[in-house]
Amino acid sequence: MSSHHFVKEQQEPALLILSTKGFGYESIAPLLEWSPTVLVAQEEVHTVISWGIKIDLIIAGTDFQKNNYSLLEEQYPVKFLGVSSEDFLDEGLQYLIATKHGAVNIIGFSHKQVFSLEDKLDHLDMVVWDAPMRYFPVKNGEFKKWFAGESLQLHAPEGAFVEVKENDENQIHSITYATFIEVGEGFVNFKSNKVFWIGEFVMDY
């Protein structure tokens, strides 16, 4: 299956870069494998260009567009996606939903604010990258995945409960800020009556 197929069908997760703080090209490069749609907030445009990444849409205010009009020619066929209130995240997500994308990797968004995304989870699958971790939501109450043995963060509203089952042993965690758990190698089953997010370390510091 070619990368062209993915782009045409919007199957490959888009890449929405809000901040590059804590990230280098090496950490983002694997997400570019199938030529996803790349959206970049105005402050990060020159950094992303310096990495050699081809940008599809620059989310930008009026002043930035006027002062950087030459980018339309230099980075053709890049386009501007206008934003009036500097809410680059919301503008980017609305665009992806409108263009029938099914998923997005959001780079440089605070995991503390992921609950604000939940009204869009019915329309988009999201993975939030907040260095040095990435967070993905469990939307349907239950989730099972194989892990190699690592530390995970369970991120849910304060006081929520998440049941974790591995090797036929059950533990129920009452969530407080930064609830970290250790899981061994093998399948781990998670269950809760609320939407919650699982954070995995993806970088070594």
Side-chain angles (χ1 to χ4, degrees), residues 96-179:
L96 292 173
I97 292 169
T99 52
K100 303 286 194 289
H101 283 75
V104 59
N105 284 292
I106 303 171
I107 308 295
F109 182 67
S110 171
H111 70 279
K112 298 175 187 178
Q113 299 176 43
V114 292
F115 305 124
S116 67
L117 303 174
E118 290 178 7
D119 63 331
K120 294 186 175 64
L121 289 179
D122 288 339
H123 308 287
L124 275 173
D125 289 328
M126 301 184 198
V127 178
V128 170
W129 297 67
D130 184 10
M133 301 185 77
R134 70 176 171 203
Y135 295 80
F136 57 89
V138 177
K139 299 183 281 188
N140 301 316
E142 194 163 356
F143 177 74
K144 186 177 183 179
K145 186 183 177 187
W146 189 91
F147 292 93
E150 56 194 277
S151 291
L152 302 174
Q153 183 182 358
L154 299 178
H155 191 43
E158 194 92 5
F161 291 94
V162 178
E163 180 183 349
V164 180
K165 180 179 180 181
E166 58 177 320
N167 300 324
D168 295 325
E169 289 186 13
N170 281 37
Q171 283 190 311
I172 294 178
H173 299 270
S174 176
I175 303 302
T176 55
Y177 176 67
T179 298

